[in-house]
Amino acid sequence: MNELEKLIAGFRQFRKRYYEDEPELFKQLINKGQSPKALVIACCDSRVHPAQVMDTDPGDIFVVRNVANVVPPCQDDGKSHGTSAAIEFAVKHLGVKHIIIFGHGQCGGVRSLMEGKHQDHKHGFIDAWMDIVAPAREKILKEHRDAAFDDQCRACELAVIDISVNNLMTFPWIREMVVRNNLFIHGWYFDIEQGILFERDKSEKGFSPIC
Ligand SMILES: [Zn+2]
C-alpha cells in the first residue's frame, strides 16, 4: 500500500462510519450547518492533529493550523491575513465560545525560531513567519541563557502560546467578548514525549497538567 492508498482507504472508513453506520450526524450538520463550540489554533505538525488528539467528531471543533500555532496581532490594513480571517469567521460568524491555542513539544517552527535567522533559502518563509513571535526567543535567551538548547525550545514553545493568547486580545471584537464573559481563551500545550496535556494558568502565566 503506498502513502496515498492509505489515505483513500481511510476516507472509505470515514464514509462507512458517517454515511452508512451513523448517518444522522452528517445529515444534521448538512441541514443545520456547523456550530462548533471551540476554535482550535494548532501547529501544522503531523503528530498533533487536534481532531485526532482530542478524539472529536465532525462539527465539534473549528481548526486553524499554521507553523507553530501563531496568532498574529490584529492588523486591519486591508491585506490578506489567513489566520485572522479564520479567527474572524469562527468568532463572528460561527459564534464559538472557546478559543484554544494548542501548542506542542518538539515544534519545528519554534526550533527554527530559536536557531536564529538562517542564511539559507530553506527558511525564507519560516523565518519571516516566526518573526511574529520573535519576542519569545528574546525572552528565553534572557531568562534561560545557560539552559540546554532543547530546554530553551520547550520554554519557547510555552512563550509562543503566551504571545498568541495576548495577540488574540488585540482584536477588539475578541477583547470585548472576553471582557463580557461571552468568549473564553485557553492556552494548551501537548507534551508529545510524555503524552500529557498542560493548561496555561491565566494568573500566574505558568502551565499545569490537566490530563
Ligand atoms: Zn509545531
Side-chain angles (χ1 to χ4, degrees):
M1 187 182 281
N2 70 29
E3 294 87 347
L4 296 187
E5 281 174 349
K6 186 182 176 189
L7 302 185
I8 293 162
F11 181 78
R12 264 192 211 102
Q13 286 287 341
F14 174 86
R15 185 171 57 194
K16 182 177 182 305
R17 177 171 175 190
Y18 288 107
Y19 284 80
E20 293 171 25
D21 300 345
E22 308 165 24
E24 288 311 313
L25 175 62
F26 254 98
K27 267 186 200 156
Q28 212 176 50
L29 286 171
I30 290 159
N31 292 335
K32 293 186 178 171
Q34 60 170 329
S35 56
K37 299 294 176 278
L39 158 65
V40 181
I41 300 168
C43 182
C44 301
D45 191 303
S46 62
R47 301 164 293 182
V48 300
H49 198 304
Q52 206 167 38
V53 172
M54 299 173 196
D55 194 24
T56 59
D57 280 316
D60 284 346
I61 54 174
F62 188 87
V63 179
V64 187
R65 302 183 74 176
N66 61 37
V67 171
N69 38 267
V70 167
V71 174
C74 180
Q75 285 177 287
D76 197 2
D77 54 12
K79 293 184 179 161
S80 303
H81 298 285
T83 296
S84 303
I87 292 170
E88 180 179 71
F89 189 69
V91 173
K92 288 188 176 178
H93 298 260
L94 298 177
V96 295
K97 288 279 166 254
H98 300 272
I99 302 179
I100 301 164
I101 305 295
F102 189 56
H104 71 98
Q106 294 189 359
C107 182
V110 170
R111 174 166 285 262
S112 178
L113 172 67
M114 287 307 298
E115 285 169 358
K117 286 273 160 47
H118 302 81
Q119 299 304 315
D120 60 38
H121 295 294
K122 290 183 180 174
H123 292 81
F125 286 107
I126 298 170
D127 280 353
W129 175 250
M130 293 307 294
D131 251 354
I132 296 171
V133 288
R137 178 176 187 266
E138 286 153 26
K139 177 180 188 281
I140 300 314
L141 290 179
K142 205 161 119 190
E143 295 177 6
H144 302 267
R145 198 190 317 165
D146 301 323
F149 186 66
D150 284 351
D151 295 333
Q152 287 183 333
C153 286
R154 182 188 167 91
C156 192
E157 285 155 3
L158 301 177
V160 167
I161 296 174
D162 278 339
I163 291 179
S164 285
V165 166
N166 292 333
N167 281 349
L168 279 173
M169 296 296 276
T170 65
F171 292 78
W173 28 277
I174 288 182
R175 171 174 282 280
E176 196 180 311
M177 289 181 75
V178 169
V179 168
R180 291 182 180 178
N181 279 332
N182 289 327
L183 179 64
F184 302 91
I185 296 176
H186 314 268
W188 287 6
Y189 177 80
F190 171 28
D191 182 326
I192 67 168
E193 286 160 16
Q194 301 185 75
I196 295 175
L197 184 64
F198 290 82
E199 183 179 34
R200 177 178 180 268
D201 185 305
K202 289 178 182 77
S203 53
E204 294 178 21
K205 291 200 167 183
F207 282 76
S208 329
I210 48 170
C211 184

